[in-house]
Amino acid sequence: MTKTIFKIENLTKSFAQNVILKDVSAEVKEGEVISVIGPSGAGKSTFLRCLTLLERPTAGAVVFEGRNLVEKAYVKLKKCGKRWAWFFKTLIYFLTLRCWKILH
């Protein structure tokens, strides 16, 4: 049985009265590679920002290796955060660099 690395449970994010994410749930198993796709304004970046807690979710849980990150203190999160990466989107990387240079 493959180990669950990330589990997102009923993730909700609102800004004032605007609900951007509503009850999003997903599970990522060890070794899986996922993509988050959708049209502009669909909430993809907000979703990823909530996963890495650059944005605090309004409700729900982000469980990483059995620990609910939403409940953790910032100092403890820094220790967990060494296991993942956030790559800010910008077209300039793709116009000037080859893939292996971007990743190294």
Side-chain angles (χ1 to χ4, degrees):
M1 185 167 149
T2 308
K3 179 180 169 187
T4 298
I5 300 296
F6 252 116
K7 188 170 186 178
I8 299 97
E9 300 171 329
N10 304 316
L11 188 69
T12 299
K13 178 61 181 175
S14 300
F15 295 99
Q17 299 300 322
N18 297 320
V19 179
I20 309 303
L21 304 170
K22 184 177 180 185
D23 292 327
V24 176
S25 295
E27 196 170 296
V28 180
K29 304 265 187 197
E30 186 174 35
E32 287 184 328
V33 176
I34 64 163
S35 295
V36 179
I37 60 172
S40 180
K44 301 176 300 291
S45 293
T46 300
F47 175 68
L48 294 172
R49 291 175 66 82
C50 285
L51 290 185
T52 57
L53 295 181
L54 292 172
E55 289 285 345
R56 206 77 168 159
T58 306
V62 177
V63 180
F64 177 68
E65 295 185 338
R67 289 178 242 132
N68 186 352
L69 301 182
V70 177
E71 297 173 349
K72 294 270 183 206
Y74 178 73
V75 174
K76 291 181 181 177
L77 285 176
K78 284 177 67 175
K79 194 173 189 179
C80 293
K82 292 179 182 179
R83 304 278 312 274
W84 65 71
W86 170 261
F87 185 66
F88 291 94
K89 58 186 173 186
T90 180
L91 185 59
I92 192 68
Y93 290 122
F94 301 104
L95 296 175
T96 60
L97 298 174
R98 296 195 182 277
C99 182
W100 66 271
K101 286 187 179 180
I102 293 170
L103 298 174
H104 286 92

